[in-house]
């Protein structure tokens, strides 16, 4: 199939390579031209704009950072809407505001273009291993069309409902991850302050009901104090912001998520927004440190 | 070996039965006389007081509810300290305040009696399946002596440090569980308020980084709204109180744990302290319900 892929960062690049590996012809666009190089070497065609990608594609994927980025690559001056033929499909796998997704979807529908929101869980590792969990919103006919491609990219794809339902599910996912990370950071801080080895405590906790993938992944980095690898906290900041906005719109009070957001704010304020989310523990620890001793 | 077991509730009864099953002679005591019946039927000797249990035992286990209960069965008028011979060992598997554990341990040491704190994770299911995770504090020689018995009761036992270190580890464990439960409750509330099926969202989230045993166990009960089974929230209330006390003593700020405690307070205030912890979601949901519509 003739596919397009827009956004070739940490997530998009390995995903696009998997699609080529599955035998599909790929037209690609990335704002940074050098990001297209590995794809071109694998056989993709580099395009000057998202519109040019869409002209050549039956299905066009977008995997960019935030709501404004999706709006730009889809609806902007050179956006894919200006190249997309009626009957084609846009699959946005970025994590963005569900209400923006619904607006973009409606605009595309006026041109006869279907859209799916299909954000993922699993991070860069899941993208590389093609083991992503894909949460899908949009019309059933488009989901059926996309299913074989989702199977190339992930372990599972679940149709959650109409446009935006994938993004809403992703917001719930990120909320659960972040509040769990808050709990892990506090548990390991309590361990350290009590004179226990946080890594030893973490290992014991992994054997019981406190066990979680967050404890496994971020807990290990918290205990070893390696905040360099993984998923930049600014991305979780964006995602939690979406969840809190959604709560506001739906009248759902989310006190734990709001609290955790304050500590991610503090991480951003300390110019540590490119550190891994596990750096959250340093903000929690710092609460117990007097300004004299800093 | 001649063993004693004090406290034959939801946790203690199956644990005591496993010890009998492993071929040990057991003397037992429970405040409610009928709680001893199943153990007597399995071959245990019912005793009139904890002191009488200790008189007959090389190693005496205690598995009661809280700090005051342990203080009573160990140091009270008929407490096991009045029956325990020098050279014997007391293993407290209850979840109590680590500083109280250290005090009790010192008092027993004056009579030549060793003590281990060995609280567990895994709940009633883990007790029945002998798959508990056991967190141990106390002298190394006592841990070596207890190891074969821990192997009868659980999947793993880890020596965390001196007296109280087991209880401290358990406090970290409970903190992580409860803040994770807060995150799961909020994620499923956001899903419901957004028109998605919470159980379907939960299943998708279990496939990704938000996956946790709390999401698996309590999340399922939250989605199905079955708050009758499981672990009574009053027990988690007690445990989180211990973690917050420990944070206070150690100068560790635990904002997430403190927030979750407020919602468990609300659950207690609604006289739902015997509901499963999953009932926490009803408190979160209620935040978004106006008093007019109640």
């Amino acid at each position: 199939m003739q596919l397009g892929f827009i956004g070739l960062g940490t997530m998009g690049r390995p995903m696009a390579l998997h699609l080529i590996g599955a035998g599909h012809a790929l037209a690609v666009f990335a704002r940074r031209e050098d990001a297209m190089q590995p794809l071109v070497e694998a056989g993709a065609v580099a395009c000057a704009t998202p519109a040019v990608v869409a002209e050549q594609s039956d299905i066009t994927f977008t995997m960019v950072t935030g709501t404004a980025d999706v709006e730009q690559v889809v609806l902007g001056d050179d956006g894919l809407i200006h190249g997309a033929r009626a009957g084609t499909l846009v699959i946005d796998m970025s994590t963005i505001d569900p209400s923006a997704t619904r607006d973009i979807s409606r605009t595309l529908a006026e041109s006869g273009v279907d859209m799916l929101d299909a954000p993922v869980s699993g991070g860069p590792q899941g993208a590389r291993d093609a083991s992503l969990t894909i949460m899908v919103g949009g019309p059933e006919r488009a989901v059926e069309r996309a299913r074989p491609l989702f199977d190339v990219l992930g372990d599972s794809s679940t149709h959650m409902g109409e446009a935006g339902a994938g993004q809403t599910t992703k917001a719930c996912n990120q909320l659960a991850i972040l509040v769990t990370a808050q709990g892990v950071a506090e548990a390991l801080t309590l361990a350290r302050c009590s004179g226990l080895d946080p890594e030893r405590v973490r290992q014991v906790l992994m054997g019981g009901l406190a066990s979680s993938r967050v404890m496994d992944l971020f807990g290990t980095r918290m205990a070893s104090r390696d905040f360099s690898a993984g998923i930049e906290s600014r991305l979780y900041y964006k995602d939690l912001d979406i969840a809190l906005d959604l709560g506001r719109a739906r009248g759902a009070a989310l006190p734990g998520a709001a609290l955790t957001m304050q500590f991610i704010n503090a991480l951003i304020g300390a110019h540590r927004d490119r550190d891994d989310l596990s750096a959250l523990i340093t903000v929690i620890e710092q609460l117990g440190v007097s300004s004299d001793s800093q």
Side-chain angles (χ1 to χ4, degrees), chain A residues 38-280:
Chain A
L39 276 296
V40 170
E41 283 166 16
V45 175
C47 299
T49 68
V52 176
V53 171
E55 277 170 18
Q56 304 179 34
S57 304
D58 299 315
I59 299 180
T60 305
F61 291 87
T62 52
M63 189 51 154
V64 292
T65 302
T67 303
D69 306 295
V70 174
E71 287 169 343
Q72 195 197 331
V73 300
V74 177
L75 308 176
D77 283 346
D78 297 320
L80 62 82
I81 194 168
H82 304 296
R85 285 165 282 117
T88 61
L89 171 62
V90 172
I91 304 177
D92 177 36
M93 304 192 78
S94 323
T95 295
I96 71 169
D97 180 357
S99 70
T101 287
R102 281 188 291 272
D103 290 344
I104 298 167
S105 171
R106 268 191 296 270
T107 305
L108 284 170
E110 290 166 9
S111 304
V113 176
D114 273 341
M115 175 174 170
L116 294 175
D117 49 305
V120 303
S121 182
Q125 185 73 39
R128 284 192 296 273
D129 300 347
S131 65
L132 295 167
T133 296
I134 307 173
M135 308 158 217
V136 190
E140 179 67 35
R141 64 174 179 279
V143 177
E144 287 315 306
R145 197 171 166 189
R147 190 80 68 181
L149 301 173
F150 290 150
D151 290 346
V152 170
L153 300 173
D155 276 343
S156 78
S157 58
T158 309
H159 188 196
M160 300 305 298
E162 291 308 295
Q167 295 296 353
T168 298
T169 305
K170 177 70 187 274
C172 298
N173 187 71
Q174 300 305 85
L175 189 163
I177 288 172
L178 282 152
V179 178
T180 302
Q182 175 85 30
V184 171
E186 292 188 16
L188 297 184
T189 297
L190 184 58
R192 188 185 298 271
C193 290
S194 304
L196 298 182
D197 172 24
E199 174 54 23
R200 194 166 168 80
V201 168
R202 195 196 65 80
Q203 285 172 16
V204 171
L205 268 49
M206 279 301 291
L209 192 46
S211 167
S212 65
R213 282 194 60 189
V214 168
M215 175 91 71
D216 192 25
L217 184 68
F218 295 116
T220 303
R221 295 173 189 162
M222 288 177 188
S224 68
R225 312 190 80 70
D226 174 9
F227 308 128
S228 60
I231 305 172
E232 296 181 4
S233 48
R234 69 189 174 93
L235 298 175
Y236 279 112
Y237 172 89
K238 167 185 81 82
D239 295 355
L240 193 52
D241 207 32
I242 291 169
L244 289 168
D245 270 349
L246 185 59
R248 204 144 44 224
R250 298 290 181 165
L254 307 169
L259 180 75
T260 299
M261 188 60 158
Q262 299 310 308
F263 296 113
I264 299 185
N265 282 351
L267 203 57
I268 305 289
H271 306 291
R272 303 193 57 180
D273 55 327
R274 292 193 178 266
D275 280 0
D276 181 72
L277 177 66
S278 56
L280 181 63

Side-chain angles (χ1 to χ4, degrees), chain A residues 6-22:
Chain A
I6 294 166
L8 301 166
T10 316
M11 295 295 293
R13 184 173 51 245
M15 294 167 72
L17 286 169
H18 286 309
L19 292 171
I20 293 176

